[in-house]
Amino acid sequence: MYKSILLFVIITLVSCKPSGEEKSAKTEEKIIEESSFIIESSLENSNGMNGDINIMGYFVDPSIKGTLQQDGSFRIELPGNFDQVTEKAFEAYNSSPVADYNLKYTTALESFPNADALSFTGKDARLAFAGKYYRFEVSSDNESAFIYPASSENFVKYVVGTKDAIPETGFNYYYIYAKDPFTINGETIHDYLFEDGTEEIYSRTDSYRLDVKKGWNLIRYEIKELAESSLGTENIAKTSVMNLDINTKPESWFISSK
């Protein structure tokens, strides 16, 4: 019986064998679907640390897809099926007895809530973020650190909300995997009150130019101007958010201080 089944399978495969062109096209399509995106660069402030690089964020198990060398050079591999990797990680966490809440994909609108009133298509597009808080975690023995593409160490600390960071103009990049495409275009202008007792008002302009494709995308966030009160309090006055060609190489990478 097993020989009969095997013979039938062989005959079926032979009779359905695609032509050379069809086979080549299918192979190429598979390679494109499964191909990874590689990031290679060097740190501006290498401190001699080396270790494995985790590409995951949130509270899920790490996925080691990179290495940092002692000379500051590194290589990160972002898999072409990152949406599936993320979904499996979410499922594993959500089924765990230690899960505090249900992890799920964030949407484009949840990631860019201030752009709700702008020209915004695909608000429900689902996104998977590489790294944690715009950064990739590096683990070595009993210590860990973060590497990130930005204009300075302080800039990312300020964006993340570290207490000792001070406001400054600058930029950072981060990588997202979009399960669905979306676009945002336009700018918002709002007035805010300095929270320093001066009762002075400043204006903030946020500009968006996003055309996010399905798959990997590179986002650049920039603080272009700061507003200052009479007491010297500084707040963000002008920002821009845009996506660049995925092969764009960020100007500089840093590692968080020990």
Side-chain angles (χ1 to χ4, degrees):
M1 178 180 177
Y2 292 113
K3 290 183 179 180
S4 299
I5 294 174
L6 179 59
L7 180 60
F8 173 78
V9 171
I10 293 174
I11 293 173
T12 303
L13 289 175
V14 172
S15 63
C16 297
K17 186 177 180 180
S19 65
E21 291 184 1
E22 290 175 338
K23 185 176 181 181
S24 176
K26 289 182 178 180
T27 301
E28 183 177 353
E29 182 179 353
K30 185 176 181 181
I31 291 174
I32 292 174
E33 288 177 352
E34 297 181 353
S35 62
S36 300
F37 174 66
I38 306 298
I39 305 171
E40 292 182 298
S41 192
S42 296
L43 301 174
E44 295 292 324
N45 63 333
S46 176
N47 59 12
M49 179 179 177
N50 66 296
D52 297 325
I53 298 176
N54 171 29
I55 62 171
M56 303 300 292
Y58 311 101
F59 303 98
V60 300
D61 289 334
S63 177
I64 304 302
K65 292 290 184 179
T67 55
L68 170 65
Q69 306 297 330
Q70 284 188 330
D71 63 0
S73 62
F74 63 87
R75 184 179 189 275
I76 302 172
E77 178 182 345
L78 298 179
N81 62 340
F82 192 68
D83 56 336
Q84 298 172 25
V85 173
T86 300
E87 190 166 13
K88 288 181 179 178
F90 283 179
E91 289 175 354
Y93 175 83
N94 292 338
S95 62
S96 152
V98 299
D100 293 324
Y101 46 83
N102 189 58
L103 287 178
K104 62 179 182 178
Y105 285 103
T106 183
T107 66
L109 180 57
E110 288 170 336
S111 296
F112 304 99
N114 295 334
D116 187 21
L118 300 180
S119 174
F120 196 149
T121 66
K123 292 182 180 181
D124 293 328
R126 293 159 295 172
L127 311 181
F129 286 74
K132 186 176 183 180
Y133 305 124
Y134 318 116
R135 306 169 295 180
F136 293 98
E137 184 179 23
V138 180
S139 298
S140 177
D141 298 327
N142 296 322
E143 63 178 341
S144 64
F146 291 98
I147 61 173
Y148 40 81
S151 55
S152 72
E153 288 185 85
N154 179 75
F155 185 84
V156 172
K157 289 181 179 179
Y158 178 60
V159 171
V160 171
T162 305
K163 292 182 179 180
D164 61 347
I166 59 174
E168 69 173 54
T169 56
F171 57 84
N172 70 289
Y173 296 83
Y174 56 98
Y175 296 87
I176 61 171
Y177 188 100
K179 289 176 67 67
D180 319 282
F182 68 93
T183 63
I184 308 176
N185 285 287
E187 65 178 28
T188 62
I189 303 176
H190 297 288
D191 289 333
Y192 297 94
L193 187 71
F194 280 104
E195 296 181 359
D196 60 358
T198 61
E199 296 187 357
E200 296 172 5
I201 294 174
Y202 69 96
S203 179
R204 171 168 171 166
T205 302
D206 297 303
S207 301
Y208 297 85
R209 193 167 75 247
L210 291 169
D211 183 11
V212 173
K213 310 296 184 184
K214 182 177 180 179
W216 282 111
N217 294 266
L218 175 62
I219 309 295
R220 175 187 166 105
Y221 170 73
E222 181 176 4
I223 297 178
K224 293 188 171 184
E225 290 182 17
L226 295 174
E228 185 175 348
S229 74
S230 59
L231 291 180
T233 302
E234 291 184 311
N235 285 330
I236 298 173
K238 183 178 290 187
T239 73
S240 70
V241 185
M242 68 181 73
N243 65 295
L244 304 176
D245 183 275
I246 188 62
N247 293 310
T248 300
K249 187 175 181 179
E251 296 96 308
S252 51
W253 287 74
F254 294 88
I255 188 170
S256 57
S257 302
K258 291 183 179 180

